[in-house]
Amino acid sequence: MNILLLGGSGQLGREILLQTPPRVRVAAPGRDELDLAAPDAIEALIESQPFDVVINAAAYTAVDRAEEERDRAFAINAEAPRR
Ligand SMILES: NC(=O)c1ccc[n+]([C@@H]2O[C@H](COP(=O)([O-])OP(=O)(O)OC[C@H]3O[C@@H](n4cnc5c(N)ncnc54)[C@H](OP(=O)(O)O)[C@@H]3O)[C@@H](O)[C@H]2O)c1
């Protein structure tokens, strides 16, 4: 099985990586490889490899700043998962 894990460096993502059996292949691109604030890149990545499953553990979690960074919060938490 081929899994694309988004947010592999976060609390949830790190735990998922720890729990993943060795036979399962997991690609966990970091923010430097895929910035979810620029969702156009997501489709290209998903189409570049035959992933069986996409796990989205990435999120804009700076809730105190979300109202000031409204567009960024929506891009990461709404538009990116939609893509
Ligand atoms: N922690 C929990 O106990 C828990 C429980 C249930 C549900 N959840 C949900 O799981 C999700 C993640 O929570 P968390 O606690 O793991 O949060 P977190 O520790 O803040 O991790 C957020 C992850 O999202 C990535 N990310 C943020 N902005 C990004 C961007 N623009 N491009 C690419 N990656 C980006 C971060 O990458 P960087 O490392 O580069 O910042 C990090 O890997 C949230 O939706 C949360 O509600 C969490």
Side-chain angles (χ1 to χ4, degrees):
M1 180 180 282
N2 236 347
I3 294 178
L4 172 62
L5 172 64
L6 304 175
S9 60
Q11 281 187 62
L12 182 62
R14 286 197 308 272
E15 193 57 33
I16 290 170
L17 285 171
L18 285 174
Q19 302 287 335
T20 304
R23 67 177 183 282
V24 176
R25 272 176 298 175
V26 182
R31 188 193 294 244
D32 52 335
E33 296 166 87
L34 179 65
D35 183 355
L36 296 172
D40 282 348
I42 296 170
E43 282 154 11
L45 179 73
I46 287 176
E47 285 165 10
S48 72
Q49 292 182 51
F51 294 111
D52 300 302
V53 174
V54 179
I55 300 175
N56 183 26
Y60 180 99
T61 55
V63 291
D64 293 344
R65 292 202 307 266
E67 289 185 14
E68 292 146 42
E69 298 186 324
R70 191 181 160 85
D71 290 348
R72 183 173 175 78
F74 268 100
I76 296 167
N77 287 359
E79 182 61 12
R82 189 183 75 77
R83 297 290 186 93

